[in-house]
Amino acid sequence: MTAADLAPVSHVDPFAVEVLTDPLPFQAALRDAGAVVHLAAHDLYAMGRYAEVRAALTDWQRFCSSAGVGLSNFRTEPPWRPPSLLLEADPPHHDAPRRVLAAILGPRALRRWRDRWFAAAVEHVDALLGTGGRPVEVDGMAALAEAFPLRVFPDAVGIAREGREHLLPYGEYLFNAFGPHNELVAAGAVAAGGHAAWVNAQCARETLADEGFGADIWAAADRGDLTVDQAPLVVRSLLSAGVDTTVHGLGWVLHGMATHPDQWDRYRRDPARRRVCFDEAVRWGSPVQTFFRTAEVDVPIGDTVVPEGSKILMYLGSANHDPRHWDGPQRFDLDRDPSGHVGFGFGLHQCVGQHVARLEADALLAALADRVERIEPAGDPVRRANNTMREWASLPLRLHPS
Amino acid sequence: MSSLVVTAKDVVADGVVALTLARPDGGRLPDWTPGAHVDLTFDSGATRQYSLCGDRWDPASYRVAVLREPDGRGGSRHVHDVLQVGDRVGLGGPRNHFPLVPAPRYRFVAGGIGVTPLLPMIAAARVLGADWTLLYGGRRRASMAFLDELPPEHTTVVPQDEQGLLPLASWLGSPDADTVVYACGPEPLLAAVAAVVPADRLRVERFTTTEVAAPVREDPFTVELARTGVTLTVDASLSVLEAARRAGATTLSSCERGTCGTCETTVLAGVPDHRDQVLADHERAAGDCMLPCVSRAASDHLVLDL
């Protein structure tokens, strides 16, 4: 009997549009089927329970990233772009880029941006609300979740103003490309080269501003902490992983607040809730739903063995909704302690920019909390299917000034 | 504080023992990178820093090597003469002040027990496919640890009683732009290396163990949560984070191993005993923040912005 016979089998394609846009039922079935499940549609394994996902993300020795963190196996299929030095690397290659970026994006290093971002958020929300004191209808995605990160983050990296419209579609394609070669990838493929070329051009030392994360990365190369060949790829990681993820994290906060008005009250009245708010949204919405690992050896999991060389889907979104770990996981609840969620991943590949995302969210939400009494839906939200991200294309919102 | 158990104690050279350390439950230890050290706290109350010199692909054990220093302050004597397999030691870190930077070519220079941080670097260089060689000096061949782990074709072994001092100038030549020299050993050796290697091509670590600045305590201390006014006692069985959480503080954490930085908390009064991997030395010295998932108190009382 082979390992594949032993693992429970699912014939659902997790990358079918109807699953991507409504993943919770499939996630529940996956968790209930077993700790690890064989997905026949793509001949791969999947983990959906919190305990196993978290343990596997931590176990870089047996679950490697350098064979790609998407469905494609770099050992048998060439990657569509030069692999990331962070996301798609294992120790020891991963060590130096991670060390450099963790220092640049650490909570203490970010203090120099805090006041600027909070001021920018105030300006942004004030402009949106106008002076009429009347409710304002906006698309929460375009006007807030996308606009605010695009207002502060590219400046903090230090990239050119012209061409920033490439950032979101680049990320959208990148996150689609972690999945199978389905129609979502095909739809973005033609334009992807242009987006990637623009992004790559932003990573050169001479095009980056003198102050910012990009300049800090090049300064690390000058110190010898990175090679000059590595520096542009590390800058690229910021532009790849630092925009869409934050945008959709913010989308989930806004959607949570619009659909749970008591939680917005809670947020506005109790400053202690602010510490957990963004992380609860990242748990609840899990904007990054999935990443893959590759088994370095035969890995026993429960009664099953995941064979060496297999791709394993780590279902972060499912782990964050696993009732074996979370009480009432489908509730967006600021009284919950979301500590330990895997929405930023876990282990040594855990999102190195998480403190940046939290600071952006804190700035925007603080400005909204001071000015907006109520956030309510102003129409049906529109989903967008993506092979990795769980995202809103549009969130019609009505903001009631306080 | 997390506590490790000594699972093996082996004499690896004259005057050198290697300790293998594991969690009491055999579980996964915090990740580390080549050049990292840990703080080990012994029953005597002494805390010493040792380079990790084991295999990072083994997630369940650490290895350190300890040189008997007859003129030392007693830490090494304790390890050699008192510490036994099955004993517990306290763990701080791991932290890394001596990281391996990427380069096409490495020249490693070890003096005596200074070989320890270089062993994992050599393992990394081999995986990276970098060009590397090691110049390893010691008083006598029998006092030089881990000779059997070093590939002879890359290693030049120079016992002083046979061959005199290390031939640094001739062995190093003039390092080109692709070369980084890593050196660890006694001060005169490091000075001799620095005399022939440009500063921007040289990374050194002084292996003499330094005492951890903060006095580490095992006895309970009190923590006041400023936002709620609650004061609680934290004993060795609980982290500050967990104690605060149980007392109703709103906390946010993630790794709970002192690596991710999520639980960073402002310290309003008292002196933290930093045990994390996140804060730099100047940030530790400032004493105005701590990572309560692993860090504790050096003073009797801490006031936290929780």
Side-chain angles (χ1 to χ4, degrees):
Chain A
M1 188 180 282
T2 67
D5 294 326
L6 285 169
V9 177
S10 167
H11 293 277
V12 175
D13 176 5
F15 302 98
V17 168
E18 61 275 16
V19 178
L20 294 173
T21 52
D22 182 20
L24 299 188
F26 171 66
Q27 291 175 5
L30 183 73
R31 288 188 301 264
D32 290 345
V36 60
V37 175
H38 188 247
L39 299 182
H42 298 285
D43 188 22
L44 62 93
Y45 292 82
M47 290 187 199
R49 294 182 186 171
Y50 177 84
E52 284 81 7
V53 168
R54 176 172 159 160
L57 289 171
T58 308
D59 185 357
W60 58 266
Q61 285 95 341
R62 293 192 297 173
F63 294 99
C64 82
S65 292
S66 58
V69 297
L71 181 58
S72 155
N73 188 332
F74 292 176
R75 289 170 188 171
T76 55
E77 196 180 352
W80 75 275
R81 58 168 201 168
S84 164
L85 300 182
L86 288 123
L87 191 66
E88 295 157 332
D90 293 314
H93 303 81
H94 177 260
D95 296 345
R98 175 75 190 199
R99 181 178 181 85
V100 165
L101 211 46
I104 291 170
L105 304 180
R108 314 264 301 166
L110 291 178
R111 287 184 179 182
R112 65 174 156 145
W113 299 100
R114 188 178 178 87
D115 289 348
R116 275 183 258 185
W117 290 4
F118 272 68
V122 165
E123 210 175 277
H124 191 82
V125 173
D126 278 346
L128 214 54
L129 293 175
T131 52
R134 283 186 299 276
V136 174
E137 288 192 12
V138 299
D139 177 353
M141 290 311 297
L144 292 165
E146 293 174 1
F148 184 65
L150 286 176
R151 180 177 180 136
V152 295
F153 184 71
D155 283 348
V157 178
I159 62 171
R161 292 203 166 272
E162 302 75 37
R164 290 183 181 182
E165 66 279 4
H166 287 287
L167 283 170
L168 288 174
Y170 176 72
E172 185 73 21
Y173 180 77
L174 171 67
F175 284 102
N176 271 323
F178 289 123
H181 297 294
N182 58 14
E183 67 282 5
L184 294 170
V185 177
V190 174
H195 301 316
W198 181 85
V199 164
N200 291 341
Q202 304 315 304
C203 302
R205 183 203 294 265
E206 53 277 13
T207 57
L208 286 159
D210 294 339
E211 190 206 5
F213 303 141
D216 293 344
I217 290 166
W218 277 101
D222 290 340
R223 290 192 305 271
D225 293 344
L226 291 174
T227 67
V228 292
D229 298 334
Q230 290 177 320
L233 281 169
V234 175
V235 179
R236 192 192 69 178
S237 286
L238 293 179
L239 300 177
S240 309
V243 186
D244 295 55
T245 48
T246 313
V247 163
H248 294 295
L250 289 173
W252 282 99
V253 181
L254 294 170
H255 182 63
M257 295 305 185
T259 52
H260 300 68
D262 55 323
Q263 298 301 310
W264 184 239
D265 286 342
R266 200 86 182 81
Y267 182 88
R268 293 186 68 220
R269 287 187 194 147
D270 182 358
R273 304 333 314 153
R274 299 189 180 191
R275 194 175 182 112
V276 297
C277 175
F278 186 62
D279 279 75
E280 169 61 357
V282 170
R283 181 204 66 80
W284 180 61
S286 296
V288 176
Q289 285 280 294
T290 49
F291 269 129
F292 292 77
R293 294 288 186 269
T294 306
E296 281 281 12
V297 292
D298 288 350
V299 185
I301 294 164
D303 302 331
T304 305
V305 172
V306 175
E308 176 187 348
S310 331
K311 278 277 170 178
I312 310 122
L313 184 155
M314 305 281 161
Y315 217 139
L316 312 179
S318 174
N320 282 339
H321 279 249
D322 183 358
R324 293 161 190 78
H325 183 82
W326 305 99
D327 180 26
Q330 303 204 18
R331 216 171 49 236
F332 174 63
D333 181 0
L334 298 191
D335 285 306
R336 179 199 309 281
D337 181 355
S339 298
H341 73 78
V342 295
F344 289 122
F346 220 79
L348 59 77
H349 288 284
Q350 189 181 41
C351 178
V352 71
Q354 59 183 291
H355 307 294
V356 182
R358 287 195 187 106
L359 186 59
E360 289 177 63
D362 287 351
L364 183 62
L365 291 172
L368 284 168
D370 288 344
R371 287 161 182 77
V372 175
E373 184 170 42
R374 200 147 48 90
I375 299 174
E376 64 182 16
D380 290 333
V382 181
R383 291 188 185 277
R384 183 194 293 126
N386 181 284
N387 281 333
T388 303
M389 312 249 322
R390 188 174 176 218
E391 47 182 69
W392 298 106
S394 145
L395 279 179
L397 299 175
R398 192 174 300 114
L399 309 178
H400 294 264
S402 49
Chain B
M1 173 171 32
S2 56
S3 159
L4 302 183
V5 61
V6 179
T7 58
K9 178 179 172 181
D10 300 299
V11 176
V12 291
D14 286 356
V16 182
V17 292
L19 302 178
T20 307
L21 305 165
R23 273 169 44 163
D25 65 0
R28 198 183 165 87
L29 289 161
D31 289 320
W32 55 284
T33 51
H37 67 268
V38 290
D39 301 334
L40 297 183
T41 304
F42 303 106
D43 280 346
S44 61
T47 294
R48 297 289 183 273
Q49 299 183 329
Y50 298 102
S51 296
L52 290 172
C53 64
D55 175 8
R56 67 192 299 204
W57 278 269
D58 172 2
S61 69
Y62 287 159
R63 184 176 71 168
V64 299
V66 181
L67 170 70
R68 180 190 286 278
E69 296 180 89
D71 302 329
R73 289 162 294 128
S76 72
R77 280 197 303 279
H78 180 85
V79 170
H80 277 258
D81 299 337
V82 180
L83 192 69
Q84 294 181 15
V85 170
D87 286 353
R88 299 285 179 103
V89 294
L91 170 71
R95 302 176 71 208
N96 196 340
H97 295 315
F98 191 39
L100 187 67
V101 298
R105 186 173 304 114
Y106 299 105
R107 296 285 175 258
F108 298 110
V109 179
I113 196 66
V115 74
T116 49
L118 304 182
L119 294 177
M121 292 188 187
I122 288 168
R126 296 171 78 171
V127 174
L128 292 164
D131 176 23
W132 70 274
T133 52
L134 167 67
L135 180 64
Y136 180 12
R139 291 204 182 100
R140 294 172 292 112
R141 188 172 293 270
S143 70
M144 297 173 69
F146 305 120
L147 288 173
D148 58 331
E149 295 183 17
L150 297 164
E153 65 276 22
H154 291 266
T155 307
T156 305
V157 177
V158 183
Q160 195 175 344
D161 64 341
E162 297 172 21
Q163 301 174 34
L165 294 175
L166 290 176
L168 286 173
S170 63
W171 187 82
L172 284 166
S174 43
D176 63 20
D178 283 344
T179 302
V180 180
V181 178
Y182 275 82
C184 184
E187 197 60 47
L189 172 67
L190 300 183
V193 174
V196 293
V197 178
D200 64 339
R201 310 247 56 83
L202 176 62
R203 307 259 169 161
V204 302
E205 185 168 68
R206 284 153 181 86
F207 72 72
T208 31
T209 52
T210 51
E211 191 142 12
V212 176
V216 175
R217 57 188 297 154
E218 286 288 344
D219 50 327
F221 51 90
T222 55
V223 173
E224 182 181 334
L225 307 175
R227 295 193 192 186
T228 54
V230 174
T231 296
L232 47 127
T233 301
V234 182
D235 65 22
S237 70
L238 275 186
S239 67
V240 173
L241 177 74
E242 186 56 31
R245 189 178 274 157
R246 288 186 191 181
T250 301
T251 57
L252 180 70
S253 64
S254 185
C255 75
E256 302 202 357
R257 286 178 171 213
T259 59
C260 75
T262 300
C263 67
E264 184 185 310
T265 299
T266 299
V267 177
L268 300 171
V271 181
D273 173 20
H274 297 288
R275 318 291 294 180
D276 61 278
Q277 302 182 48
V278 175
L279 300 179
D281 284 339
H282 69 278
E283 294 167 340
R284 291 176 162 226
D288 59 354
C289 76
M290 68 184 285
L291 297 173
C293 66
V294 292
S295 296
R296 304 184 66 82
S299 52
D300 293 337
H301 188 66
L302 277 183
V303 184
L304 301 180
D305 184 23
L306 278 177

